[in-house]
Amino acid sequence: MRTAPTPAVSPTTITIDYRQPTVDDGARLWEIASDSRVLDVNSSYSYVLWCHDFAASSIVAEVDGRVVGFVTGYRRQQDPSTVMVWQVAVDSEFRGHGIAATLLHRLFDRMQRKGVVAMHTTISPDNVASQRLFESVAHGRGLRFARRDLFSANDFPDSHLPEELYILEPQVSEP
């Protein structure tokens, strides 16, 4: 497996620290998600709880002591070799600098040390930016990138779009 590429942001421009979230970060994650205007925003409580219960499978990006981006994830109970990415978000002021990709790479690096070999996420068909982000991460790590239907619009009680499962996993070698 390849390791994370050098972030797109030059260290002379801004210094970005990547770390595991703490409970104190929960409110900020909720703010970033709310401000994104594209994520399904969960309750503020859920972000605080996530930073408590799933901190080991999540990551934040911090600039000058302020969280500017995050990835929330969890290990799949039925397959602990897979990390399921729940949400990825970067504060609007810091988008376009490769922070989201670096967050995913660094999370994958950390999770690999714990036996994780694959990353899954769900993305709605209209979210081309997220589709490209995960495809780029898969390509950068030399992983197979696949998509399959997961939830139809009818599975949701509101006007939610379908959610497709995106799979980043090791290439299967043919003998």
Side-chain angles (χ1 to χ4, degrees):
M1 295 282 157
R2 298 179 190 161
T3 57
T6 305
V9 177
S10 166
T12 58
T13 308
I14 56 175
T15 300
I16 304 169
D17 295 312
Y18 296 90
R19 62 172 175 78
Q20 186 170 303
T22 66
V23 168
D24 291 340
D25 297 320
R28 181 68 182 128
L29 271 59
W30 178 82
E31 289 173 354
I32 294 170
S34 296
D35 292 346
S36 76
R37 301 190 190 280
V38 294
L39 289 179
D40 289 336
V41 182
N42 301 292
S43 70
S44 60
Y45 171 75
S46 68
Y47 291 94
V48 172
L49 184 66
W50 203 283
C51 290
H52 182 269
D53 287 355
F54 298 105
S57 53
S58 300
I59 189 169
V60 296
E62 188 176 68
V63 174
D64 295 329
R66 182 171 171 80
V67 173
V68 299
F70 70 88
V71 172
T72 52
Y74 60 91
R75 285 177 86 164
R76 290 212 131 149
Q77 191 171 15
Q78 70 277 22
D79 180 8
S81 70
T82 299
V83 63
M84 176 68 181
V85 171
W86 177 253
Q87 288 188 319
V88 178
V90 176
D91 188 284
S92 61
E93 180 182 347
F94 292 92
R95 289 185 196 141
H97 296 288
I99 294 172
T102 302
L103 282 162
L104 288 168
H105 280 291
R106 296 231 178 162
L107 177 62
F108 208 126
D109 289 343
R110 182 175 2 119
M111 297 305 292
Q112 275 187 311
R113 293 189 292 274
K114 298 175 182 182
V116 168
V117 298
M119 180 178 278
H120 291 179
T121 194
T122 61
I123 304 172
S124 58
D126 67 333
N127 192 340
V128 176
S130 287
Q131 294 165 20
R132 288 182 180 154
L133 169 65
F134 280 89
E135 183 175 20
S136 168
V137 169
H139 178 74
R141 300 186 76 85
L143 297 171
R144 182 178 86 88
F145 181 70
R147 181 205 65 79
R148 69 175 178 84
D149 294 339
L150 186 61
F151 300 120
S152 75
N154 292 332
D155 291 327
F156 300 100
D158 54 9
S159 60
H160 200 289
L161 291 173
E163 289 284 335
E164 299 169 330
L165 180 67
Y166 283 79
I167 302 163
L168 293 72
E169 63 186 6
Q171 301 281 354
V172 176
S173 302
E174 295 295 325

